[in-house]
């Protein structure tokens, strides 16, 4: 039986969209279905770092660290609009790990991953500017090393955009109700979450990239055999008003063996996280606990000159990591590496399930998934994503400021803050919704800050946004900027615009 699609991917997080993009770029016909919004769960709740994971060296996860370190510069060059380098300060705490051990770990960190563009580690004095700003005076010595930042939710959307541009069908708000083997194909029932309408499609191969729902999909929807166990671990973050003016980030050691980051965030804020707590609740209702807020405030206050209190918190977010259960006693020690499990083959349509994974290694994970599935898919080319820019990222890593200048030259009504925000989110594609605008008024009504109707319509028409939350917290981070009244006006506009589009389509 000829299938409608060569590959159907369930899950619109970073792994699912990365796999869909890679597969369609190799010549396979691909559909991706996501029951909510793209990056609607774990993939928008990370610490937003492209990093090797310095602390994983203590658990001897050298292969994971090496794999992740190699990806830092690859992803930075593929998406220089949403990714950029950061310098981290690791203060030496005399009561915790000795300085020689920290320096040894950072030596390995510098040399495991083939670093070419990022600067190396150096020892710094924390009692001198600029590093002394923000820290308690009792910390005098530290180490400065490199990692990278990425807007996690936008990374997901850009992978989906590229997949769609290459021919993949991307369906959000679409739930996979059932998947059954029928001869040599999968017969998959999909349900439109908004209308309740169901449709059936067939696919030669399934990929279960359901994130925290991977086990539920495997056993309840696909009915595949699996002995794999998943460990759900919640990570939470707090956002507070900016605690230091320099552009360095801090990585703080804690007495419990964990580390906490304090990172400059969205210009005016500091992002503090993360926690590691085993999770057994409702995956549709994941939030930070009072205990987690207290933990993060206390951990940051151990180092920062200005204490952090729960009253300082302006926003929080939490996500559940779907880790492969390797039997580790503590959540912080559970492996962050991914595990791939294949069921079927030898004449039976296969399903491959993805357990675990990190934002940093999503591209390598996608390659490994497709290597496993290569016998079942009609690929016309091999690996290709290592040198291919993501949408809007077709400029060099040292040309970000030049892109901002070019945009302002083309659209003189944009101030630096507005133009920087647009290049940071959309890169060279910002011009697609600015078009021939000669003034801000030409972009339509403004909902607050510098968010106009033209951008909102573009996000709905081109980036699958369907609610104010999709726009304010995933496509942009303007939820930190807009008032409740402004957010309400945006929500009303989105609802009306979608209704008009539905009416016009009918």
């Amino acid at each position: 039986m000829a299938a409608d699609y060569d590959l159907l991917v369930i899950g619109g997080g970073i792994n699912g969209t990365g796999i869909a993009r890679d597969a369609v770029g190799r010549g396979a016909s691909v559909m991706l279905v996501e029951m909510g919004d793209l990056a609607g769960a774990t993939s928008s709740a990370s610490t937003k770092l492209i990093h090797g994971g310095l602390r994983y060296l203590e658990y001897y996860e050298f292969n994971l660290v090496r794999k992740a370190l190699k990806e830092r510069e690859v992803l930075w060059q593929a998406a220089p609009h949403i990714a950029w380098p950061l310098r981290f300060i690791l203060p030496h705490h005399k009561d915790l790990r000795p300085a020689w051990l920290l320096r040894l770990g950072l030596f390995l960190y510098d040399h495991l991953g083939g670093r070419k563009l990022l600067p190396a580690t150096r020892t710094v004095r924390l009692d001198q500017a600029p590093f002394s700003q923000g820290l308690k005076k009792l910390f005098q010595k530290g180490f400065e090393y490199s990692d990278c930042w990425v807007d996690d939710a936008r990374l997901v959307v850009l992978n989906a955009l590229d997949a769609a541009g290459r021919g993949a069908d991307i369906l959000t708000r679409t739930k996979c109700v059932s998947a059954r083997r029928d001869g040599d194909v999968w017969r998959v029932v999909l349900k439109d979450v908004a209308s309740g309408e169901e449709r059936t499609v067939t696919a030669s191969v399934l990929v279960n990239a359901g994130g925290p729902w991977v086990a539920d999909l495997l056993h309840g929807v696909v009915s595949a055999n699996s002995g794999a166990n998943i460990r759900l671990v919640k990570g939470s973050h707090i956002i507070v008003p900016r605690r230091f003016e320099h552009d360095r980030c801090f990585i703080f050691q804690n007495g419990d063996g964990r580390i906490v980051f304090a990172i400059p965030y969205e210009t005016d804020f500091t992002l503090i996280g993360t926690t590691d707590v085993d999770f057994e609740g409702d995956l549709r209702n994941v939030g930070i606990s009072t205990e987690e807020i207290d933990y993060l405030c206390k951990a940051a206050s151990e180092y920062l000159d200005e204490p952090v209190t729960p009253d300082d918190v302006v926003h929080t977010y939490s996500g559940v990591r779907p880790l492969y259960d390797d039997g580790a006693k503590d959540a912080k020690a559970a492996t962050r590496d991914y595990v791939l499990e294949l069921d079927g083959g030898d004449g039976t349509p296969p399903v491959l399930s993805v357990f675990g994974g990190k934002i940093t290694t999503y591209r390598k994970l996608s390659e490994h998934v497709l290597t496993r599935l290569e016998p079942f898919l009609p690929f016309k080319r091999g690996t290709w994503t290592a040198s291919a820019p993501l949408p809007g990222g077709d400029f060099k890593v040292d040309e970000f400021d030049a892109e901002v200048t070019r945009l302002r030259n083309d659209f003189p009504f944009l101030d630096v803050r507005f133009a920087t925000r647009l290049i940071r989110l959309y890169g060279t594609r910002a011009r697609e919704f600015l078009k021939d605008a000669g003034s801000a008024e030409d972009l339509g009504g403004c909902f607050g800050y510098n968010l106009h109707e033209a951008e909102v319509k573009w996000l709905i028409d081109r980036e699958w946004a369907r609610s104010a939350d999709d726009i304010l917290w995933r496509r942009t981070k303007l939820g930190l900027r807009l008032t409740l009244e402004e957010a309400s006006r945006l929500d009303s506009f989105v609802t009306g615009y979608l209704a008009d589009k539905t009416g016009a389509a009918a």
Side-chain angles (χ1 to χ4, degrees):
M1 180 188 299
D4 299 322
Y5 296 92
D6 298 320
L7 176 65
L8 191 149
V9 180
I10 305 171
I14 189 57
N15 291 334
T17 56
I19 293 164
R21 177 198 182 216
D22 195 345
V24 74
R26 299 190 194 203
S29 59
V30 176
M31 171 181 275
L32 179 144
V33 296
E34 161 57 45
M35 65 179 177
D37 183 30
L38 296 171
T42 307
S43 292
S44 59
S46 75
T47 312
K48 311 186 193 311
L49 299 179
I50 306 173
H51 67 142
L54 183 60
R55 73 183 181 90
Y56 304 144
L57 291 175
E58 288 191 317
Y59 298 103
Y60 307 107
E61 297 248 25
F62 298 114
N63 184 54
L64 171 62
V65 175
R66 180 185 297 108
K67 186 163 48 182
L69 287 173
K70 288 182 177 179
E71 283 297 287
R72 293 180 305 180
E73 295 183 4
V74 173
L75 298 184
W76 177 24
Q77 292 179 89
H81 48 330
I82 64 166
W84 61 93
L86 294 176
R87 292 290 278 174
F88 285 81
I89 304 295
L90 172 59
H92 171 233
H93 193 306
K94 62 181 179 61
D95 295 325
L96 298 176
R97 298 168 181 88
W100 68 264
L101 182 61
L102 297 179
R103 193 64 186 87
L104 175 61
L106 287 166
F107 176 83
L108 291 173
Y109 206 70
D110 272 350
H111 293 88
L112 274 176
R115 175 183 51 83
K116 296 178 180 178
L117 300 175
L118 297 170
T121 298
R122 64 181 184 131
T123 303
V124 294
R125 292 280 301 273
L126 299 182
D127 55 353
Q128 298 177 359
F131 312 119
S132 58
Q133 204 266 322
L135 281 180
K136 289 181 176 178
K137 299 298 184 288
L138 60 91
F139 298 104
Q140 298 185 348
K141 180 180 181 180
F143 304 97
E144 184 185 48
Y145 70 94
S146 293
D147 265 324
C148 291
W149 170 269
V150 70
D151 185 327
D152 51 7
R154 288 218 58 77
L155 184 65
V156 174
V157 170
L158 295 187
N159 273 273
L161 277 171
D162 202 37
R166 297 173 187 272
D169 289 336
I170 309 293
L171 302 181
T172 63
R173 268 76 176 188
T174 302
K175 189 172 185 177
C176 182
V177 176
S178 68
R180 297 290 180 266
R181 290 180 169 106
D182 182 3
D184 59 353
V185 301
W186 285 95
R187 189 167 296 277
V188 184
V189 178
L190 306 175
K191 181 178 181 179
D192 186 300
V193 173
S195 68
E197 294 181 3
E198 293 187 354
R199 59 181 290 202
T200 300
V201 300
T202 56
S204 299
V205 178
L206 288 187
V207 164
N208 173 9
W213 290 271
V214 61
D216 293 344
L217 284 165
L218 191 60
H219 300 300
V221 175
V222 178
S223 298
N225 296 317
S226 172
N229 293 317
I230 188 171
R231 183 171 189 168
L232 299 179
V233 176
K234 183 176 64 167
S236 296
H237 299 75
I238 60 175
I239 299 171
V240 300
R242 188 154 186 166
R243 281 301 194 268
F244 39 90
E245 293 304 316
H246 56 74
D247 62 357
R248 267 64 168 189
C249 310
F250 289 115
I251 173 173
F252 299 142
Q253 305 173 76
N254 295 313
D256 61 1
R258 295 210 71 257
I259 55 93
V260 166
F261 294 102
I263 304 171
Y265 186 66
E266 294 296 311
T267 306
D268 300 318
F269 304 93
T270 297
L271 174 67
I272 299 172
T274 180
T275 58
D276 271 318
V277 181
D278 282 312
F279 182 81
E280 297 179 351
D282 184 351
L283 286 169
R284 296 167 298 179
N285 185 27
V286 179
I288 195 169
S289 67
T290 300
E291 291 76 16
E292 286 177 292
I293 293 175
D294 289 342
Y295 173 87
L296 292 174
C297 289
K298 181 180 179 181
S301 297
E302 179 82 10
Y303 289 84
L304 294 177
D305 187 42
E306 180 184 358
V308 179
T309 72
D311 290 339
D312 297 323
V313 176
V314 299
H315 185 65
T316 68
Y317 65 85
S318 303
V320 175
R321 310 178 187 102
L323 305 182
Y324 185 79
D325 191 353
D326 59 357
K329 180 179 179 181
D330 296 323
K332 68 175 183 289
T335 182
R336 263 52 175 180
D337 209 350
Y338 53 80
V339 174
L340 309 179
E341 183 178 272
L342 183 66
D343 180 83
D346 294 325
T348 303
V351 55
L352 187 146
S353 296
V354 178
F355 296 86
K358 290 162 50 68
I359 286 278
T360 305
T361 52
Y362 88 91
R363 196 194 62 81
K364 292 302 294 183
L365 180 151
S366 300
E367 289 185 342
H368 290 162
V369 165
L370 297 182
T371 296
R372 294 284 298 276
L373 295 178
E374 192 168 9
F376 314 107
L377 293 170
F379 292 150
K380 298 179 176 64
R381 65 190 292 197
T383 58
W384 63 277
T385 57
S387 59
L390 285 160
D394 48 340
F395 58 92
K396 295 180 180 178
V397 294
D398 60 354
E399 292 181 351
F400 181 87
D401 291 340
E403 282 298 318
V404 173
T405 299
R406 281 193 280 269
L407 191 68
R408 293 192 69 204
N409 288 339
D410 292 343
F411 301 92
F413 65 88
L414 298 175
D415 61 24
V416 173
R417 182 177 63 178
F418 195 176
T420 300
R421 184 178 76 80
L422 294 183
I423 294 297
R424 188 58 80 194
L425 293 178
Y426 310 109
T428 57
R429 291 167 63 96
R431 290 172 172 79
E432 293 184 19
F433 59 80
L434 292 173
K435 293 182 179 177
D436 300 320
S439 67
E441 288 71 27
D442 292 337
L443 300 176
C446 181
F447 298 99
Y449 204 62
N450 46 37
L451 179 67
H452 291 78
E453 288 181 8
E455 183 178 353
V456 171
K457 290 178 180 179
W458 196 83
L459 290 171
I460 294 170
D461 294 341
R462 302 291 295 277
E463 290 199 2
W464 301 279
R466 292 295 179 269
S467 72
D469 273 359
D470 293 353
I471 293 168
L472 293 178
W473 296 110
R474 286 179 286 279
R475 304 307 183 280
T476 77
K477 298 298 182 287
L478 292 179
L480 291 168
R481 306 288 186 181
L482 269 62
T483 66
L484 291 176
E485 180 182 352
E486 290 168 337
S488 179
R489 284 198 299 110
L490 173 63
D491 188 58
S492 296
F493 177 84
V494 171
T495 301
Y497 184 68
L498 286 170
D500 290 344
K501 281 172 61 74
T502 302

